Amino acid sequence: MRTMEFKMERTGLLKEGDVLPVTEGRLPDSYYYTLGNAFAMSANYKFRERLQSTEGTVLEIKETPKGFFVTVEFDE
């Protein structure tokens, strides 16, 4: 299992246990991931850290002073 953290700007869009698709985006030297219908975005990842799964399960949603963060688990 692999977990990744996504930054979410608005609360109330997701709940723990939701299974959502993940879309991969490409930058010149890294990749980023969008959760569901642009509910949340990941950090940038290098090629060797690239995600292989196309969907994941929401484990946790937490609020910090920097915003909302979603932890998602993938079958990898």
Side-chain angles (χ1 to χ4, degrees):
M1 296 303 226
R2 174 179 177 179
T3 60
M4 290 175 64
E5 191 169 75
F6 292 79
K7 174 88 166 57
M8 182 169 64
E9 296 297 324
R10 295 176 291 159
T11 186
L13 301 174
L14 308 172
K15 63 183 182 302
E16 292 178 8
D18 284 351
V19 177
L20 299 169
V22 177
T23 306
E24 181 179 77
R26 184 169 185 188
L27 298 170
D29 59 348
S30 61
Y31 295 88
Y32 65 93
Y33 299 93
T34 305
L35 188 60
N37 294 325
F39 296 133
M41 298 276 296
S42 74
N44 295 338
Y45 292 91
K46 297 292 182 189
F47 180 78
R48 65 184 176 343
E49 302 169 324
R50 197 171 175 190
L51 184 64
Q52 303 300 315
S53 299
T54 58
E55 67 179 20
T57 304
V58 176
L59 292 180
E60 179 185 20
I61 301 170
K62 61 184 172 187
E63 182 178 2
T64 69
K66 293 183 178 184
F68 299 97
F69 290 89
V70 180
T71 303
V72 180
E73 182 178 58
F74 299 96
D75 289 330
E76 288 193 10

